[in-house]
Amino acid sequence: MINYSISPLNINSHLFSVSLTFNVTANKPYTLSLPSWLPGSYMIRDFAKNIIEINATAEDNSSPILIKNDKQTWTLTSNNETSVTINYSVFAFDLSVRTAYLDSQRAFFNGSSVFLQVEELANQACLLNIEPTDAIKDWKVATGLTRHNTEKYAFGQYSAENYQELIDGPVAMGNFSYKEFDVEGVTHHVVFTSEHYGDLTRLTKDLTKLCQHHISMFGEAPFKEYWFITHLLANGFGGLEHKNSTILQASRFDLPNPNKPDELTENYRTFLSLCSHEYFHAWNVCRIKPKEFIPYNLQEETHTTQLWAYEGITSYYDDFSLYRTGLISFEDYLKILSKTATRVYRGKGELKQSVADSSFDTWTKFYKQGPDAVNNIVSYYTKGSLIALWLDLTIRDKSNGQYSLDNLMKELWIHFGRTNIGTSEDDFINIANILCNTDIRDEFTAMLHNAERVNLSALLKKVGIDFAASKFCKLNSVETRTTDEYVPYIGALYTATPSGLKVTQVVEDSPAANAGLAVNDIIIAVDNMQATEKSLQNIAEHLAQNTSVKCHYFRDDQLLEQSIRFIDSPTSAIEITESDAKLSNKWRNIIEL
């Protein structure tokens, strides 16, 4: 085995001490490297920038040579056949789901950000020793890595079959709270790395329903245990999938209130949706994955046009599963779907970029979004979920209710997930054609590669659902409203800050764009009145349609003034409602696999 060890070196300086030991052949060069990115987060992260004071020592006291080649690789050579240890420290102060973090309250790391790979020994088994110090000896450990003569939640040894498995098992440490529940004989662990006030009994009850749904749909759980590990912050949201665990980030009060057992807040619903999304990924992208990802090349960007399926289909099921398991009503689900469709339709990005191109360009245009994003790109998450809905309804319609998207996912699992064979676009099309018993290739392909709207109205009508263009409810919202009355609109979204309203989006050709407003501008006054979210909404509602008023705003440190006009909301929002409950059963019912 390659023997790794990790331990806090200096909590207040946020430093981990890391080492790896392996046997070398005399005069043979070995390449050591850290990944540039990690699966599920498609942006170059350059983890090696956090390595500090690296050196090599040999068991026989010889002097191996360690030379840095570039920003993330080193070459090691030794004159003798011996055991060599690489020692280094890692700065860890990124409390995201991607990298590493260490302070006096908790510790966390993804292996990809702390463990060097010996590229020539990448398939060799790994043994990891997670060591405590006196300062953290009372902490617990949470990880999906295989315990090697180590008790659950304890410091000690953990093993992995190879380097890829080692870095797929993130680790959290601290005096955390946890709870366990079983589904289909699989123990699931729910861990929170900081203080919270949530009702864990209710949470695990709700998660049990979601996990059961996903396991039942695919037919089996591909893991022996599963870990939900959550960083709780004052404000936060995010998740990253792994084969038998997920790292989540949420706000401290997103969890269910123990004093209100029947309350389902929007924040708690969103957290359940996040859990559903990342758990679904245990099948869809962790195991069923594009052929370009087998094996992963973590040293440079790996492009694929298929992320619309891996994120879009997953995004379709994350909320739909909440309805299917009885956690939300069908009416509430349609409201969520309306917001998703509105996010796609409100800008012109989907008319300029296809979801296949969005997938391919994720490394730059999606993960490094500029201020023009709403106008010039489309999200393979949101539009991908609409395509998943189209695919689900199409399969149900053309198979006369015999099959659904569930069946397509089950076939993908059997033929590509279990077998570790990567998918191509044709694989999705071919399975869909079989389930539909007709050829939908041309329409399907056009939907993926053309920058056009997804036509859902006719399909939804067949299942008793209306899909209608609508107005926006309020200035700073994607909620919808069907009305002939005047609804004021400026075409910008913003967040409240102590200085004023910080612009986050400006839709092209809107009043805000025509007034010259741009992302990151701080609106301080409108019509000579202090600008707050409430005051701006009130001013808009009390002015006549097409009224122009002065708008004062800061761009950087310069105060600017422009005239902005309030117009009637365009019908670029979407409202999805049920019109025939009997017909909607054609979509709502789960078809036996």
Side-chain angles (χ1 to χ4, degrees):
M1 287 187 174
I2 299 179
N3 289 278
Y4 289 85
S5 71
I6 187 167
S7 180
L9 175 64
N10 188 320
I11 287 178
N12 294 327
S13 296
H14 318 293
L15 293 174
F16 280 112
S17 174
V18 187
S19 70
L20 66 151
T21 301
F22 58 99
N23 295 326
V24 299
T25 300
N27 300 315
K28 177 181 177 179
Y30 293 86
T31 302
L32 308 177
S33 65
L34 271 188
S36 289
W37 61 282
L38 74 167
S41 184
Y42 307 107
M43 188 171 82
I44 296 298
R45 303 285 176 183
D46 291 330
F47 298 121
K49 65 187 177 185
N50 292 317
I51 288 184
I52 302 168
E53 298 180 320
I54 186 170
N55 62 74
T57 60
E59 186 179 41
D60 64 358
N61 295 318
S62 61
S63 299
I65 299 172
L66 185 65
I67 298 174
K68 191 169 187 177
N69 302 320
D70 54 37
K71 63 181 180 179
Q72 66 200 34
T73 64
W74 292 257
T75 298
L76 174 82
T77 54
S78 172
N79 292 329
N80 301 329
E81 185 169 320
T82 184
S83 174
V84 171
T85 298
I86 310 297
N87 296 287
Y88 55 97
S89 54
V90 175
F91 180 69
F93 202 58
D94 177 14
L95 191 53
S96 70
V97 298
R98 298 175 297 271
T99 315
Y101 184 85
L102 174 63
D103 69 7
S104 59
Q105 304 301 308
R106 54 185 162 184
F108 163 76
F109 59 83
N110 274 295
S112 52
S113 65
V114 295
F115 296 135
L116 284 168
Q117 174 184 218
V118 184
E119 294 184 7
E120 291 76 15
L121 306 175
N123 293 319
Q124 194 162 314
C126 303
L127 185 66
L128 169 63
N129 190 22
I130 304 175
E131 300 177 332
T133 62
D134 289 341
I136 65 167
K137 61 184 179 181
D138 296 328
W139 284 10
K140 296 183 285 289
V141 175
T143 179
L145 289 171
T146 300
R147 294 178 288 279
H148 189 82
N149 299 321
T150 300
E151 296 295 322
K152 191 188 293 186
Y153 302 112
F155 289 94
Q157 293 183 327
Y158 294 80
S159 62
E161 291 185 2
N162 50 46
Y163 180 79
Q164 286 286 343
E165 184 177 304
L166 175 70
I167 65 173
D168 192 50
V171 176
M173 295 178 278
N175 283 316
F176 50 71
S177 60
Y178 65 90
K179 197 170 180 64
E180 300 178 2
F181 64 95
D182 285 347
V183 182
E184 298 288 344
V186 176
T187 300
H188 293 66
H189 312 79
V190 181
V191 172
F192 294 98
T193 65
S194 63
E195 186 66 32
H196 70 87
Y197 306 90
D199 183 347
L200 295 192
T201 299
R202 179 183 173 188
L203 174 61
T204 54
K205 180 180 177 181
D206 292 342
L207 286 179
T208 297
K209 296 177 182 178
L210 289 169
C211 296
Q212 181 66 67
H213 172 275
H214 293 349
I215 292 174
S216 297
M217 197 184 89
F218 284 102
E220 60 186 320
F223 35 74
K224 295 180 180 178
E225 60 181 32
Y226 192 88
W227 295 76
F228 292 95
I229 302 173
T230 305
H231 299 314
L232 291 174
L233 309 170
N235 293 289
F237 180 81
L240 187 64
E241 67 273 7
H242 297 274
K243 280 190 171 181
N244 72 340
S245 63
T246 179
I247 301 298
L248 307 170
Q249 190 178 81
S251 298
R252 203 173 306 281
F253 293 99
D254 286 351
L255 303 184
N257 187 336
N259 296 325
K260 297 180 179 180
D262 297 322
E263 180 184 58
L264 180 64
T265 64
E266 183 176 354
N267 288 346
Y268 179 46
R269 180 201 60 74
T270 300
F271 180 70
L272 287 175
S273 177
L274 176 64
C275 293
S276 175
H277 185 99
E278 302 304 335
Y279 192 72
F280 195 90
H281 270 320
W283 291 265
N284 195 39
V285 89
C286 283
R287 290 173 173 85
I288 313 166
K289 63 184 64 171
K291 62 182 180 181
E292 294 89 349
F293 289 175
I294 299 180
Y296 284 114
N297 176 4
L298 299 180
Q299 304 308 311
E300 59 186 34
E301 296 98 330
T302 302
H303 297 279
T304 178
T305 60
Q306 297 179 60
L307 292 181
W308 65 268
Y310 290 98
E311 294 296 351
I313 292 177
T314 303
S315 295
Y316 173 60
Y317 276 108
D318 57 21
D319 285 320
F320 197 29
S321 300
L322 297 185
Y323 160 68
R324 282 178 153 185
T325 53
L327 295 173
I328 61 173
S329 68
F330 189 57
E331 181 182 5
D332 286 340
Y333 171 66
L334 294 183
K335 289 179 181 178
I336 296 168
L337 191 59
S338 296
K339 288 184 180 180
T340 299
T342 297
R343 288 188 176 96
V344 176
Y345 275 60
R346 70 182 300 264
K348 296 183 179 179
E350 72 159 335
L351 303 178
K352 300 176 182 178
Q353 184 190 47
S354 70
V355 289
D357 287 341
S358 176
S359 300
F360 192 86
D361 293 334
T362 184
W363 299 92
T364 52
K365 292 188 176 183
F366 188 77
Y367 266 86
K368 298 179 181 179
Q369 290 185 24
D372 65 328
V374 68
N375 300 310
N376 295 324
I377 70 171
V378 67
S379 165
Y380 52 78
Y381 282 80
T382 52
K383 188 168 183 179
S385 68
L386 297 185
I387 291 174
L389 170 58
W390 173 87
L391 192 53
D392 192 9
L393 295 175
T394 297
I395 293 172
R396 290 170 184 267
D397 179 50
K398 294 189 178 298
S399 69
N400 294 318
Q402 186 177 0
Y403 301 117
S404 72
L405 185 60
D406 295 358
N407 298 89
L408 186 145
M409 296 309 299
K410 180 70 175 292
E411 291 298 312
L412 287 170
W413 167 246
I414 292 170
H415 299 290
F416 298 93
R418 286 178 182 168
T419 58
N420 196 37
I421 297 174
T423 64
S424 67
E425 183 179 296
D426 273 351
D427 296 316
F428 289 89
I429 296 172
N430 292 337
I431 295 173
N433 281 345
I434 293 171
L435 296 174
C436 290
N437 196 29
T438 188
D439 191 351
I440 63 170
R441 176 178 296 274
D442 290 345
E443 189 176 3
F444 196 174
T445 302
M447 196 167 296
L448 301 179
H449 292 276
N450 295 344
E452 298 174 350
R453 301 282 190 201
V454 180
N455 183 6
L456 291 168
S457 182
L459 279 169
L460 285 169
K461 197 69 176 177
K462 290 183 178 181
V463 292
I465 306 296
D466 287 339
F467 183 94
S470 178
K471 295 181 179 181
F472 295 99
C473 281
K474 295 182 179 180
L475 295 178
N476 193 34
S477 173
V478 294
E479 294 184 1
T480 60
R481 179 180 175 187
T482 301
T483 180
D484 293 327
E485 297 178 359
Y486 167 60
V487 180
Y489 172 85
I490 59 171
L493 295 182
Y494 38 83
T495 58
T497 72
S499 303
L501 300 177
K502 183 176 182 179
V503 178
T504 57
Q505 286 186 356
V506 177
V507 177
E508 66 181 0
D509 299 327
S510 68
N514 294 335
L517 282 171
V519 170
N520 294 326
D521 287 347
I522 307 291
I523 303 172
I524 60 170
V526 174
D527 201 22
N528 295 318
M529 305 294 289
Q530 181 182 8
T532 66
E533 189 168 8
K534 183 177 180 180
S535 70
L536 186 54
Q537 184 67 41
N538 284 334
I539 291 169
E541 291 176 352
H542 283 77
L543 294 175
Q545 182 177 341
N546 294 321
T547 299
S548 294
V549 297
K550 290 180 180 179
C551 177
H552 292 86
Y553 58 95
F554 278 106
R555 179 168 297 163
D556 195 16
D557 59 352
Q558 186 176 9
L559 180 62
L560 303 176
E561 176 189 334
Q562 290 289 347
S563 177
I564 189 167
R565 186 165 61 100
F566 291 94
I567 67 170
D568 191 18
S569 171
T571 54
S572 53
I574 299 297
E575 189 163 18
I576 302 174
T577 55
E578 184 179 49
S579 58
D580 189 323
K582 186 176 180 180
L583 276 178
S584 69
N585 283 328
K586 291 183 177 181
W587 173 30
R588 288 189 284 160
N589 287 345
I590 298 176
I591 297 168
E592 292 295 329
L593 294 175

